[in-house]
Amino acid sequence: MDRQSSNLHESRREYILAVGTAGLAAIAGCTSDNSSEESTPADESTTDDVNDGDTDTPQDVSNGEDAANSEPNFEVVSLQITDEMELGETASLKLQVRNSGNAEGNFTKRGQITSEALDYSKYADAGFDIGGVIEPGETETFSQEIAGDNLGSFRLSIEDYDVEADTSVVARDLSLGEDYTNVKGVKMSIDEIVVQDSYEDEEGNDVRPDNGKFVIVKYSGENTGDDTVNPSSARNLHVRTGEESYDHSLKGDTAANYDKLGFNRELEPGETLQGYQFFDVNRSAERQDLTVTWDEVIGVTEKRVNWNP
């Protein structure tokens, strides 16, 4: 989203942070890069930025008045960050500010973060400080590392300045065998996706799906935290084919092996699990078109990871 305001250059559309219940997290520390503009020639002074003085005043008195009237004048040039980040990625937010005044000054402002999920209303804990000292005639770029911890669209603004930047955090895409650590500290991986027309249960019965095909998702996990946790629920796991989404199926011997998945039991710190889950999908679905999705929604907090064959 590009916006234009007086004394401001255009700021380009981008992706930002939100903290607490709404999303991204600012990583501690703000850095600056000096990108000073070309110095003004000696015959073109910046007197337009200085309060007018008495031209008849003796030179030594005039210098004293100029020093007393010197002050910085800050202009926000741009607010920039990458257009999109995946869940769990970090990006560097860039705020460029010019001091067009005739004195050094400290530009430090509060960045405000709002979330589309909350109708872009402000909340107290969603913000960060950004800025630093800028010499007269210089342009500084201040950086803030941002972590995309929650799905959604977010808006960043800087206090006292009419400048905004919009962004989004999207689902993270992984390949089979790559891992994701969920909100409970369980590092999990989808290891294999098997598609078959039927399944022979432990009693030798040929079990057929209702929709046409069984998709068997095999996965593993490890509790990387310090506490004993219930890894989560089978309801967090889905198989998607295009616009269709399928929940787990209790046909076959899935029900008998439900506890083997690691669901419905406690997982000690350092303990691992292996399991599989059945899904009943449309007969036209092909393995290469399947996506295994892990969804976690807590209030306005939403996380999603996709595994693709």
Side-chain angles (χ1 to χ4, degrees):
M1 174 189 300
D2 292 332
R3 288 179 176 265
Q4 188 173 14
S5 59
S6 61
N7 299 324
L8 299 180
H9 294 188
E10 289 188 356
S11 61
R12 72 181 176 86
R13 188 179 187 277
E14 35 210 78
Y15 284 89
I16 54 185
L17 43 335
V19 295
T21 60
L24 310 162
I27 299 173
C30 170
T31 60
S32 66
D33 299 315
N34 183 285
S35 52
S36 61
E37 299 180 350
E38 188 174 334
S39 300
T40 304
D43 59 349
E44 296 181 12
S45 66
T46 57
T47 53
D48 289 344
D49 296 327
V50 183
N51 293 335
D52 292 337
D54 185 353
T55 56
D56 295 328
T57 303
Q59 183 64 39
D60 57 344
V61 177
S62 175
N63 290 342
E65 288 183 354
D66 288 345
N69 294 328
S70 295
E71 60 181 16
N73 182 51
F74 299 121
E75 302 170 0
V76 173
V77 178
S78 64
L79 188 63
Q80 301 178 353
I81 201 173
T82 183
D83 284 345
E84 184 176 279
M85 71 177 84
E86 288 190 356
L87 183 72
E89 287 186 334
T90 60
S92 184
L93 175 73
K94 302 288 187 181
L95 173 64
Q96 192 174 60
V97 183
R98 180 176 183 268
N99 181 1
S100 61
N102 59 356
E104 174 190 284
N106 189 330
F107 179 92
T108 300
K109 293 294 180 179
R110 187 70 177 166
Q112 177 67 48
I113 308 155
T114 56
S115 167
E116 183 182 43
L118 298 177
D119 196 27
Y120 294 117
S121 59
K122 294 183 178 181
Y123 38 93
D125 62 345
F128 59 98
D129 292 323
I130 189 169
V133 175
I134 309 177
E135 298 289 337
E138 301 289 327
T139 298
E140 290 279 357
T141 300
F142 302 102
S143 300
Q144 176 68 58
E145 290 302 308
I146 304 304
D149 292 339
N150 185 44
L151 300 185
S153 296
F154 304 95
R155 179 165 294 162
L156 170 68
S157 60
I158 303 298
E159 68 171 334
D160 299 330
Y161 287 84
D162 185 19
V163 58
E164 295 177 344
D166 288 349
T167 190
S168 297
V169 178
V170 299
R172 182 179 176 185
D173 287 321
L174 300 174
S175 299
L176 296 183
E178 291 187 299
D179 57 65
Y180 162 72
T181 301
N182 68 17
V183 295
K184 294 186 177 181
V186 177
K187 183 173 68 175
M188 53 185 299
S189 169
I190 302 301
D191 302 316
E192 188 177 1
I193 300 174
V194 178
V195 179
Q196 55 193 51
D197 294 329
S198 63
Y199 182 82
E200 185 176 304
D201 65 17
E202 294 179 345
E203 298 178 356
N205 300 314
D206 186 44
V207 181
R208 294 188 174 275
D210 295 328
N211 293 322
K213 286 183 179 179
F214 275 133
V215 173
I216 305 173
V217 175
K218 299 183 179 182
Y219 67 92
S220 56
E222 178 185 2
N223 182 0
T224 61
D226 298 325
D227 300 319
T228 298
V229 297
N230 185 309
S232 205
S233 167
R235 290 185 295 273
N236 293 107
L237 200 62
H238 308 277
V239 166
R240 300 180 189 273
T241 58
E243 298 299 320
E244 297 291 331
S245 178
Y246 299 90
D247 295 332
H248 68 283
S249 170
L250 294 180
K251 297 202 72 171
D253 70 344
T254 304
N257 287 277
Y258 189 75
D259 288 338
K260 294 181 182 179
L261 304 176
F263 300 128
N264 282 358
R265 69 180 180 88
E266 299 298 300
L267 199 65
E268 300 288 338
E271 187 178 358
T272 61
L273 62 88
Q274 288 183 322
Y276 52 89
Q277 183 66 55
F278 278 62
F279 296 85
D280 184 351
V281 304
N282 191 285
R283 176 167 293 280
S284 63
E286 299 294 336
R287 182 179 181 277
Q288 66 269 18
D289 300 325
L290 300 175
T291 297
V292 178
T293 298
W294 182 265
D295 288 305
E296 295 175 303
V297 180
I298 304 174
V300 296
T301 298
E302 181 178 3
K303 301 176 185 292
R304 177 177 300 150
V305 179
N306 301 320
W307 281 271
N308 301 294

